[in-house]
Amino acid sequence: MGGTTGTFLQGRTLLLVDDSPVNLSVIVKSLENSGAELLVAQDGEEGLQRAEMTRPDLILLDVMMPGIDGFEVCRRLKANPATQDIPVIFMTSLSGINDKVAGFHAGGIDYLTKPLHVEEVRVRVSAHLKVRMLQRQLEENNAALEQEVVERKRVEAVLRKSKQGLAEAQRIARFGNWELDLVSGELFWSDEIYRIFEVAPDHFGASYEAFLNAVHPDDREAVNQAYIRSMEDHSPYTIEHRLLMADGRIKHVRECCENHYDSEGQAIRSVGTVQDITATKLLEEALRAHTEFQQTLLNAVHEVGLQVMIIEEGRIVHVGHRGIAHEFGYTDEMIDAHPPLLEVIHPDDREWVMDLHQRRLAGEVVPGCYELGLVTRGGVRREYEISVVAVPGTTPMRMISIGKDITEKKRAERELFRRGQEFQAIVENSTDTVARYDRHCRCGYVNPALAAQLGGEEVALGVTPVESHPNSLSVTGYQRAIEESIATGQENEYTLQWQRADGAPLWSHIRITPERDPEGEVIGVLAVGRDITDLVEAKQRLEQSKEQLRMLFARQEENHEERQKWAAWEVYDSIGQLLM
């Protein structure tokens, strides 16, 4: 998928308008090694200037910026003829429907919701560049077809007004006639045939053999057999074949022949026409290659998880990849029968989607990107993110719909929200303290338990631990432990000694766990602490008790020794008196 995406980004110019270095770094990482040229503007005014000077292929535009916001920037871009055709994708943390509608009214084609995700940025940018490329190609093809119509009308006018006779008409039409007298063997070519074969009448002996020698070697047998069969069957024939020019070039011609017979059924004369169809063949080959290229595009879009439908007069006239139609329960026959668009839209969403469809057909500016439910023929709802663009110059109007299945994404979002709510409830009601620090050790969150210890969350939010408690050696060690976890990506533990807001001593055992972004880079840490003041004080009291017991034991030993000494003297004294 990365290789396919890179193919369409190669050589493209993208303008990033955002005042946040973090968002810019995510986008740059998303599109690195893609071959695209990335231009950056950090406010709306700079973005407008760069867009007019460079005319990028696509603009990624932040909504909330200093100065003029993204909506106003987009409106000015669309009001400027030099930039009005550049597609704009908004980047915003605003997720309300009113905000999205405001963006679409301003002229945006899509939304990227913050926080940005690398793969989503790459896929969406690539998808819209593909749509833009397809739209430009369709515009170019329409212009070419219009030019061809104009050219044909001009030729018809010339033919109607021409008074120069058949030779002039044949020259204009690249259409010559010939006649072969089968009795005398004489072959007549009109002037136009000589021009088609690129030979001079004075230096070319017109004969059937000379004609066959001018035919491409690979086609000679087929041409000769067609002529022989036509005489045997008494039927005309038409054949397309190639001519081999003296310089090696190839021409394509269409030859028609009809034979005339005498009363006995013998062929006596063959008449025919030769038309140079080289340009038509080249156009057909180009059209076929273009069609194959379009199908390759559609298949490539499918490979990155997107599906394409072409809609005309409320019916699906083409699906980019039939596999998705089969998944929805449609057979090839149903697809070829152009099923109504309503069949694939879930009943809950049909009314508002068809209202948008009718308003778009009426020329109103309506959102081109939205989410809706599609339904399989078995009644199973699938959630899709849809982008719709109108094909310019088509009557009736054709629309290209690009959809991405977000059913699993929606399910994951709901599950993530549920778990987030559970986690929030646990953290908010936990007696343990919880704090979250960014890569620069600035505190972004404290739970109520920690706020109570600090005397209010404002003490810690937006600053580092040392900045909130500058004179504590223990807090300094705590911040070093946080920095070590950020640098190594390893968990850490620390016992913090400090004071509560009321001045009471506090000991807290804190477990520090790194937090990572989707790419695996450490973006901060989560610090969960448990109050061990009672345990530490109990341990201190135990140590004091042990010391008192040791001193008491030592005193008892001293007393015991003294008693033994006195007893010994008393015995000695008693024995001495007896001896006297």
Side-chain angles (χ1 to χ4, degrees), residues 62-75:
D62 188 22
V63 173
M64 306 300 292
M65 294 185 295
I68 59 174
D69 63 18
F71 293 152
E72 180 59 23
V73 171
C74 188
R75 281 190 286 268

Side-chain angles (χ1 to χ4, degrees), residues 534-548:
D534 292 342
L535 179 63
V536 171
E537 290 178 347
K539 184 177 180 181
Q540 290 176 346
R541 289 193 297 270
L542 180 62
E543 291 296 329
Q544 292 174 357
S545 298
K546 286 181 178 180
E547 180 62 21
Q548 292 174 353

Side-chain angles (χ1 to χ4, degrees), residues 134-430:
L134 181 60
Q135 182 177 354
R136 286 178 175 174
Q137 290 173 344
L138 290 173
E139 291 172 352
E140 291 172 359
N141 288 345
N142 288 337
L145 290 173
E146 290 174 359
Q147 183 60 36
E148 182 179 350
V149 170
V150 171
E151 179 64 18
R152 287 183 179 179
K153 289 181 178 180
R154 186 190 68 80
V155 171
E156 290 173 358
V158 170
L159 288 174
R160 285 194 301 268
K161 297 177 181 179
S162 177
K163 299 182 181 296
Q164 297 179 1
L166 180 60
E168 184 66 13
Q170 288 185 348
R171 185 188 66 80
I172 294 173
R174 296 183 180 181
F175 191 92
N177 67 292
W178 57 269
E179 182 175 338
L180 175 61
D181 188 330
L182 296 175
V183 177
S184 65
E186 182 180 358
L187 176 62
F188 165 78
W189 278 4
S190 68
D191 291 341
E192 183 58 24
I193 292 185
Y194 283 106
R195 281 191 287 268
I196 291 173
F197 279 69
E198 298 183 11
V199 293
D202 297 339
H203 298 85
F204 182 77
S207 65
Y208 184 70
E209 289 74 15
F211 158 72
L212 281 180
N213 287 334
V215 173
H216 193 285
D218 294 342
D219 296 344
R220 285 173 190 166
E221 182 62 23
V223 171
N224 188 46
Q225 288 299 318
Y227 181 56
I228 293 174
R229 283 195 301 271
S230 72
M231 287 194 295
E232 294 174 348
D233 299 340
H234 288 205
S235 61
Y237 74 91
T238 299
I239 188 172
E240 293 181 3
H241 61 85
R242 293 167 293 174
L243 301 178
L244 182 60
M245 300 294 101
D247 59 3
R249 286 180 296 112
I250 302 295
K251 279 190 174 183
H252 295 265
V253 297
R254 179 183 293 112
E255 182 182 350
C256 299
C257 174
E258 185 176 277
N259 300 305
H260 297 266
Y261 305 89
D262 60 16
S263 58
E264 297 179 356
Q266 294 294 319
I268 58 174
R269 188 165 59 97
S270 299
V271 295
T273 59
V274 176
Q275 183 181 13
D276 185 349
I277 58 171
T278 304
T280 302
K281 281 292 184 182
L282 293 177
L283 183 61
E284 289 176 354
E285 291 176 4
L287 182 60
R288 181 170 57 253
H290 179 68
T291 301
E292 292 175 354
F293 176 70
Q294 285 182 322
Q295 189 60 48
T296 301
L297 280 179
L298 295 175
N299 290 339
V301 168
H302 180 73
E303 288 174 5
V304 298
L306 304 176
Q307 287 80 40
V308 177
M309 292 190 302
I310 298 178
I311 302 165
E312 184 180 286
E313 294 185 323
R315 303 188 74 83
I316 303 170
V317 299
H318 179 75
V319 291
H321 197 283
R322 295 202 171 199
I324 185 64
H326 295 161
E327 291 176 14
F328 271 70
Y330 287 86
T331 64
D332 289 341
E333 292 75 14
M334 293 176 180
I335 298 170
D336 294 335
H338 306 324
L341 180 61
L342 281 175
E343 285 189 10
V344 300
I345 300 175
H346 194 275
D348 293 346
D349 295 335
R350 286 177 183 172
E351 184 175 349
W352 68 264
V353 172
M354 292 311 296
D355 178 64
L356 281 182
H357 180 72
Q358 294 300 328
R359 288 165 56 194
R360 184 181 289 107
L361 290 176
E364 293 185 37
V365 177
V366 297
C369 183
Y370 42 82
E371 295 177 2
L372 79 160
L374 301 183
V375 61
T376 69
R377 292 182 65 81
V380 178
R381 180 184 176 108
R382 303 288 295 177
E383 300 297 331
Y384 267 75
E385 185 176 76
I386 302 293
S387 296
V388 179
V389 294
V391 180
T394 55
T395 304
M397 181 186 293
R398 281 197 170 195
M399 288 172 288
I400 299 176
S401 171
I402 300 178
K404 181 180 180 181
D405 190 338
I406 58 172
T407 305
E408 291 305 313
K409 176 185 174 184
K410 284 292 185 182
R411 184 199 62 76
E413 287 177 352
R414 289 192 294 270
E415 179 64 16
L416 183 62
F417 177 78
R418 183 186 66 78
R419 292 185 179 182
Q421 292 293 98
E422 292 177 352
F423 175 78
Q424 187 72 14
I426 293 172
V427 169
E428 291 293 315
N429 295 283
S430 174

